[in-house]
Amino acid sequence: MTERGEEACRQVDTGMTRVFALLGKRWTGLVVAVLLDGPVYFAELRRAVPGISERMLSDRLTELSAAGLVVREVDGGPPLRVSYRLTEAGRALDPALKELSRWAETYLADGGQCPARFRG
């Protein structure tokens, strides 16, 4: 195989590129993980994801909505409240996120670093 052909074989496929372009952004996976338990009001969602600003949460929800993973619903109130829920496509991420969580418990248990017993 030519050197150029070997390089082509090592490229990440477009599906994986699209997944990480969306879910690889800071906070996005955490927002989806919270929504897996059901609809959540904006303020509750912000409290459930420590450290996220209102602006960043709004941006992430807008991106997830544009991708077809989240639906925004307005409760006319009073008071007026906005909740968010996952679409069928968003809920379909559940098995993958649970598997990533199990992986992290096994391999990133030592403060975010792979324990020495699993290296190499």
Side-chain angles (χ1 to χ4, degrees), residues 35-74:
L35 291 172
L36 284 170
D37 290 332
V40 180
Y41 290 110
F42 185 89
E44 294 170 341
L45 189 52
R46 183 162 181 255
R47 284 191 297 273
V49 183
I52 194 168
S53 68
E54 285 187 17
R55 170 65 188 236
M56 185 60 65
L57 177 56
S58 179
D59 289 350
R60 292 301 176 254
L61 288 166
T62 299
E63 292 167 359
L64 289 166
S65 180
L69 301 179
V70 169
V71 173
R72 179 181 187 265
E73 297 175 326
V74 178

Side-chain angles (χ1 to χ4, degrees), residues 79-102:
L80 181 76
R81 295 178 78 185
V82 177
S83 66
Y84 296 86
R85 67 173 173 80
L86 294 175
T87 63
E88 181 181 343
R91 288 189 309 273
L93 288 166
D94 188 33
L97 292 178
K98 283 182 178 166
E99 190 57 36
L100 284 171
S101 181
R102 281 192 288 275

